[in-house]
Amino acid sequence: MRDFLKRANAFLDAPLDLGPRVLVLCAALALIPTFTSPLYTMTMFAPQYPEGLRLYIYSYKLVGGNNGQDIPEINVLNHYIGMRDLVSEEFGEFKWMPFVIGGFSLLFLRTLVMGKMTHLVDSLVLFVYFGVFALWSFGYKMWSYGHNLAPTAAVKVEPFMPPMYGYKQLANFEVYNYPAVGSYALGASAFLLVMAFFLAARRARQAPSA
Amino acid sequence: MRTARATEMSRFGILALAVFAVACAPSAPKGAQRAGGGATSDVAIAAQKTYVAPGDLDEYYMFSSGGHSGQVYVYGVPSMRHLSTIPVYTPYPATGYGFDDESKKMLGDLTWGDVHHPSLSETNGDYDGRWLFVNEMNGRLARIDLRDFKTKQIIGPIPNVSGNHASAFVTPNSEYSVMASRFSIPIPKGTVAGVDKYATDYKGVITGIKIDPKSGEMSFGWQIVMPPFDYDLGDAGKKVSNGYVFFTSYNTEKATGKLEVTSTQKDRDYIAMVDWKLAEKSAAEGKGKMIGGVKVLDPKEIPGLVYFLPCGKSPHGVDVAPDGNWIVGSGKLQGVTTVFNMEKIQTAIKNKNFTGDEDGIPVLKYEDIKDAEVTVGLGPLHTQFGPDNWAYTSLFVDSAIAKWKLGTWEVVDKAPMSYSIGHLSAAEGDTVSPDGKYLVGLNKLSHGRHLSVGPSQPESSQLVDISEEKMKLIYDAFTEPEPHYAQIIKADKVKPIEVYPKEENKHPYAVWDVKDAGVTRNGNKVLVKMVAVRSTLTPTDFEVKAGDEVTIAVTNIEQTTDELHGFGLLDYNINIVVDPGETKQVTFKAKKSGVFPFYCTNFCSALHQEMQGYFIVR
């Protein structure tokens, strides 16, 4: 047991080689698109909307297609079924998410500078936790929009869960929801950290015997 | 017995003669193949050339005058589908035009106008797709903005102009749109003189309406007093003839009474050639004298302002060819069209080769200035142009279009029209670069070419394919009365908006949030700021006192294409339609007390029926 802990400590103290450090730097850089591109896109088609209504969710804002006009349009349509308006103020995530992502890039850079396995493990664990939490939070938001419908709505619909990934027919609308560039950047960043971890772990296991 | 037999024989003889006579009298004119008679076409080719499949768009817009309907009609070419009606001089409940304060004020006391000649704005002699100017007979001009296809300004009635027919032709850079009197009167308006004083006391008037190059805003430019002829049509010179505008005139006899006889005695009447740049300069120098509230220039006092070109006989159209050098004048009571040469005109002016004058205006010598007399056919009225020096002249009496070549003066083809063609309009056919391809004959009669709709019959507008050597009739469209002239512009030159952007709405009573909608009172004046958005008109009900002056300003806060909302107030004759992003205002006296429902008139949404409320007058 002691031996295991000793080995674990040694493993965590192991310095990071050039390869893992480059990957960590890439992971930090991979976060940049989350500030410039949406994390998620929703596209809705109906016979009356052959060009589709589009919603782009960034880490810090909502943007509607057609010069922003699609958001009021979606809200006008949703008010008939009693759904709350989509407004940026309703998204608490927008207040903290960009700063947290910024914090992660700093944490990754710190790992790059400090250069120990322990820093890399911290980065990876916290980042995965953040990713899972963000996904849950987003899913919950979608669920609550689809379930908290005003009882006075003109058109009564069964509470519904919009698709998280892919296509669903909702009344006259074909709804297509997909993660966008920002989300893929987060995924790429996580992937790079995992790569860095495995590379470093292999090196660390080889080190004591050398 | 014999007598009886002879009678029998002669009876038989008469019968045989009758049968023979019936067999001889043809039932249809030569060449007629259809039950209705008239022009025919190769069905398969015509169908392919004109069929615009559902969802596909036309290649050209055609803006057609609506005559005494007071409107402009928009068609797609080649489908000839009626796309929209632009109300100009007449109220049009479909768009609420003439009901809201602004359009009501623009119409003034006149609720009809006789629209004749749409004129698209030009840059360097080519359509630029910005505005459409249309005249009407009561001495007015209107500007339609092609950004939203709405009438933006009506100017006039302009003083002294009477029967504004020779209008609204614009100059090559839309510096001016012109007006002229078809019915000379004693001026200023209100002056009374008997028709026995026609030759001396009655005056024709030509006017230039200045167009602001940025905003399109029209203002009075200059006016010229002319001999009492009937100024009929016009066209601005271009390229080498830029700076001049040409007007045909009939009744140069200065006759009165039964004009069909009295005004058709001379073999030649005149085309007036007006130097508009000189008119502009003279007006800027303060020349002329005040008549009817405006400065009027007198050609007697300004040498070079106007010249008369003799043109036979009772000319109707005058059309400047794309190169600007050939000017085509069509004497409607003869079989030829005369082509004048601008260079020859200028030489004649320089050499002062005049045959005399009319009220001090020099008259040029016909033989000196003409290049050709083209034997196009009977009753030539108007000429439009195609590429490669092709010209197309409408023949009212022959009921046909003649195709001929500028330069060789050869008539190469004739296409029958059904029936009695007036104007014709080729694709960009009066610009410096005509497109060819399509030509529309705007006919005066349509009888038998459509399902019968009773005695009040539509006019026919026939589409002709002019892309090949032979002209081919390819479509019959039936148009609202009454298309005079039309212009056809390439669709991509026109760039209309889909909604009015919120940022551009500067209406003082515009409200963009349902929370800001409401009623305010100031003495006996009540202001209702109303919001229209799917599917509520807010406030949904409001009360006023009988005798109050009520202003309702409705803002449609939608920014979605085609989400129009209407506001119809029953029993009060109030009907406005508000486009997305627009605010419209209507002011009226609450005369009748009671409960009056209002509702959205323009179908908008699944809950459109519920978009209603009550106006209560106590």
Side-chain angles (χ1 to χ4, degrees):
Chain A
M1 182 68 193
R2 254 187 208 160
D3 199 38
F4 171 75
L5 290 174
K6 207 171 170 181
R7 265 191 289 130
N9 280 340
F11 177 79
L12 288 171
D13 280 340
L16 296 176
D17 226 342
L18 182 63
R21 288 197 203 208
V22 169
L23 289 173
V24 168
L25 176 64
C26 291
L29 295 176
L31 294 176
I32 292 172
T34 66
F35 296 96
T36 58
S37 303
L39 300 178
Y40 207 77
T41 61
M42 304 176 84
T43 312
M44 286 150 269
F45 294 102
Q48 303 86 337
Y49 299 93
E51 278 106 45
L53 295 171
R54 278 159 229 277
L55 184 66
Y56 304 97
I57 303 168
Y58 286 67
S59 64
Y60 55 99
K61 66 176 176 183
L62 283 177
V63 173
N66 186 20
N67 292 322
Q69 180 44 36
D70 285 354
I71 291 182
E73 190 60 25
I74 290 168
N75 288 338
V76 163
L77 297 173
N78 284 341
H79 100 276
Y80 289 121
I81 59 164
M83 194 191 273
R84 291 202 313 275
D85 278 358
L86 290 170
V87 285
S88 287
E89 291 76 61
E90 291 251 338
F91 288 75
E93 294 87 342
F94 292 169
K95 296 206 178 74
W96 54 259
M97 199 177 253
F99 299 103
V100 169
I101 294 174
F104 272 109
S105 57
L106 290 176
L107 186 65
F108 298 171
L109 292 175
R110 180 176 182 272
T111 303
L112 172 73
V113 174
M114 306 293 266
K116 290 239 173 89
M117 183 61 103
T118 176
H119 305 118
L120 180 57
V121 170
D122 286 350
S123 293
L124 184 58
V125 169
L126 286 172
F127 194 58
V128 167
Y129 171 75
F130 161 73
V132 172
F133 176 79
L135 205 62
W136 170 83
S137 159
F138 178 64
Y140 179 70
K141 191 116 259 166
M142 300 265 268
W143 183 91
S144 52
Y145 266 108
H147 284 75
N148 295 328
L149 302 173
T152 54
V155 180
K156 300 274 189 288
V157 296
E158 282 297 308
F160 62 94
M161 176 68 189
M164 286 287 282
Y165 185 92
Y167 156 81
K168 197 169 186 177
Q169 183 82 29
L170 293 171
N172 56 334
F173 275 93
E174 289 172 25
V175 181
Y176 297 87
N177 291 352
Y178 289 101
V181 174
S183 290
Y184 294 123
L186 287 175
S189 188
F191 178 74
L192 289 165
L193 286 183
V194 172
M195 288 287 289
F197 174 75
F198 280 114
L199 204 61
R202 202 173 62 187
R203 206 40 79 75
R205 260 185 271 110
Q206 285 164 357
S209 58
Chain B
M1 181 81 181
R2 253 167 89 180
T3 7
R5 201 166 164 191
T7 318
E8 197 115 311
M9 286 282 281
S10 64
R11 265 194 201 146
F12 177 76
I14 290 166
L15 189 70
L17 203 66
V19 168
F20 180 73
V22 167
C24 271
S27 63
K30 268 188 225 165
Q33 288 153 23
R34 286 197 178 202
T40 57
S41 63
D42 183 318
V43 175
I45 292 172
Q48 241 178 13
K49 294 226 175 192
T50 57
Y51 186 68
V52 176
D56 285 355
L57 304 181
D58 280 297
E59 202 179 342
Y60 288 89
Y61 287 98
M62 178 169 87
F63 294 93
S64 186
S65 67
H68 44 293
S69 76
Q71 325 287 44
V72 166
Y73 299 102
V74 187
Y75 296 87
V77 174
S79 75
M80 298 303 284
R81 294 180 293 199
H82 173 226
L83 304 177
S84 125
T85 297
I86 305 172
V88 186
Y89 296 108
T90 312
Y92 187 55
T95 60
Y97 186 80
F99 289 83
D100 67 295
D101 291 355
E102 200 183 352
S103 58
K104 220 159 45 180
K105 192 176 155 204
M106 204 155 60
L107 286 176
D109 297 331
L110 293 163
T111 52
W112 79 287
D114 194 356
V115 170
H116 272 77
H117 310 114
S119 191
L120 288 156
S121 57
E122 295 181 6
T123 301
N124 297 323
D126 220 342
Y127 299 154
D128 58 23
R130 296 201 289 167
W131 308 298
L132 179 74
F133 298 89
V134 279
N135 67 311
E136 75 94 9
M137 293 292 280
N138 290 294
R140 293 181 293 172
L141 261 185
R143 183 183 85 254
I144 294 160
D145 196 332
L146 296 184
R147 184 173 177 255
D148 58 359
F149 284 51
K150 296 277 170 67
T151 304
K152 287 294 153 73
Q153 188 192 1
I154 294 175
I155 187 170
I158 295 294
N160 307 325
V161 178
S162 170
N164 178 39
H165 187 273
S167 182
F169 322 102
V170 298
T171 53
N173 284 299
S174 307
E175 295 95 340
Y176 289 94
S177 176
V178 296
M179 303 173 96
S181 298
R182 197 174 106 196
F183 314 128
S184 292
I185 53 165
I187 56 169
K189 279 184 185 171
T191 310
V192 179
V195 290
D196 54 317
K197 301 264 174 58
Y198 185 84
T200 51
D201 290 18
Y202 285 49
K203 299 289 172 199
V205 163
I206 288 172
T207 302
I209 296 294
K210 201 171 166 51
I211 299 165
D212 184 273
K214 286 234 160 58
S215 66
E217 190 76 9
M218 301 178 289
S219 57
F220 178 84
W222 40 261
Q223 197 163 77
I224 303 170
V225 62
M226 297 287 289
F229 306 155
D230 296 33
Y231 299 90
D232 202 12
L233 277 146
D235 196 12
K238 42 183 165 282
K239 292 187 172 172
V240 290
S241 52
N242 186 17
Y244 293 95
V245 53
F246 302 87
F247 296 93
T248 52
S249 64
Y250 58 91
N251 192 21
T252 58
E253 291 84 350
K254 303 182 190 174
T256 58
K258 199 176 165 67
L259 285 188
E260 64 170 309
V261 177
T262 56
S263 79
T264 51
Q265 297 306 304
K266 281 192 185 175
D267 275 343
R268 293 210 178 101
D269 294 279
Y270 299 119
I271 290 171
M273 181 172 108
V274 177
D275 184 338
W276 64 261
K277 289 193 173 167
L278 182 57
E280 181 180 55
K281 187 166 159 267
S282 307
E285 287 165 358
K287 288 189 181 152
K289 69 173 189 229
M290 289 296 281
I291 304 175
V294 294
K295 274 267 174 84
V296 184
L297 304 170
D298 190 339
K300 276 198 290 284
E301 291 158 13
I302 305 167
L305 186 61
V306 185
Y307 295 97
F308 280 131
L309 327 177
C311 183
K313 172 181 183 178
S314 300
H316 195 53
V318 55
D319 300 283
V320 181
D323 70 349
N325 192 38
W326 280 310
I327 294 126
V328 182
S330 293
K332 63 179 183 264
L333 302 180
Q334 56 179 19
V336 298
T337 272
T338 307
V339 184
F340 299 95
N341 183 319
M342 193 63 204
E343 280 168 28
K344 288 183 180 174
I345 293 169
Q346 275 160 334
T347 310
I349 291 172
K350 203 160 66 190
N351 299 336
K352 295 201 171 7
N353 269 348
F354 306 132
T355 55
D357 72 283
E358 288 276 2
D359 293 0
I361 298 169
V363 178
L364 293 163
K365 215 163 130 193
Y366 182 71
E367 295 302 327
D368 284 354
I369 56 174
K370 79 156 203 320
D371 254 4
E373 283 180 351
V374 186
T375 49
V376 285
L378 295 179
L381 294 186
H382 306 278
T383 301
Q384 291 267 297
F385 304 94
D388 307 321
N389 285 333
W390 290 115
Y392 303 85
T393 300
S394 59
L395 307 167
F396 181 81
V397 178
D398 270 353
S399 187
I401 296 169
K403 175 183 178 180
W404 54 281
K405 191 142 204 167
L406 289 158
T408 68
W409 321 120
E410 192 188 350
V411 178
V412 299
D413 191 22
K414 272 194 195 176
M417 287 281 108
S418 308
Y419 301 91
S420 297
I421 181 173
H423 276 272
L424 75 178
S425 175
E428 311 213 345
D430 69 343
T431 68
V432 292
S433 61
D435 285 8
K437 285 191 178 183
Y438 302 113
L439 184 153
V440 174
L442 303 151
N443 305 319
K444 299 302 178 194
L445 306 172
S446 63
H447 59 84
R449 300 281 293 190
H450 50 79
L451 288 177
S452 177
V453 290
S456 188
Q457 306 221 343
E459 318 298 334
S460 90
S461 292
Q462 292 184 298
L463 181 67
V464 178
D465 175 12
I466 55 166
S467 60
E468 289 162 42
E469 202 184 320
K470 287 269 173 199
M471 295 181 281
K472 290 194 184 83
L473 173 67
I474 51 176
Y475 202 80
D476 274 14
F478 298 95
T479 38
E480 290 273 321
E482 154 163 12
H484 290 280
Y485 185 38
Q487 285 188 329
I488 299 175
I489 177 174
K490 195 84 198 284
D492 60 16
K493 285 190 179 173
V494 181
K495 296 182 174 67
I497 53 168
E498 294 274 304
V499 299
Y500 291 102
K502 180 182 172 184
E503 315 77 74
E504 285 181 20
N505 186 322
K506 302 279 186 265
H507 196 284
Y509 302 145
V511 278
W512 289 90
D513 196 313
V514 173
K515 289 197 283 289
D516 301 324
V519 184
T520 48
R521 173 179 284 279
N522 184 5
N524 64 345
K525 287 186 176 170
V526 178
L527 173 64
V528 183
K529 291 182 185 171
M530 186 173 277
V531 165
V533 67
R534 280 164 285 169
S535 301
T536 310
L537 288 161
T538 313
T540 53
D541 51 85
F542 54 96
E543 288 193 19
V544 303
K545 290 196 275 268
D548 282 345
E549 187 193 288
V550 183
T551 297
I552 301 172
V554 185
T555 304
N556 177 349
I557 67 170
E558 307 270 6
Q559 289 282 278
T560 302
T561 306
D562 217 2
E563 276 304 335
L564 283 68
H565 294 295
F567 176 85
L569 178 56
L570 298 181
D571 301 336
Y572 263 90
N573 194 36
I574 283 169
N575 155 55
I576 56 178
V577 178
V578 197
D579 294 348
E582 194 179 33
T583 301
K584 271 189 186 163
Q585 171 192 323
V586 59
T587 305
F588 61 99
K589 261 242 156 66
K591 279 185 198 149
K592 291 172 277 197
S593 53
V595 174
F596 304 95
F598 59 80
Y599 69 105
C600 175
T601 49
N602 211 103
F603 205 106
C604 59
S605 60
L607 287 151
H608 163 74
Q609 299 299 90
E610 286 73 8
M611 205 163 165
Q612 63 184 57
Y614 290 106
F615 169 58
I616 296 168
V617 186
R618 284 199 188 269

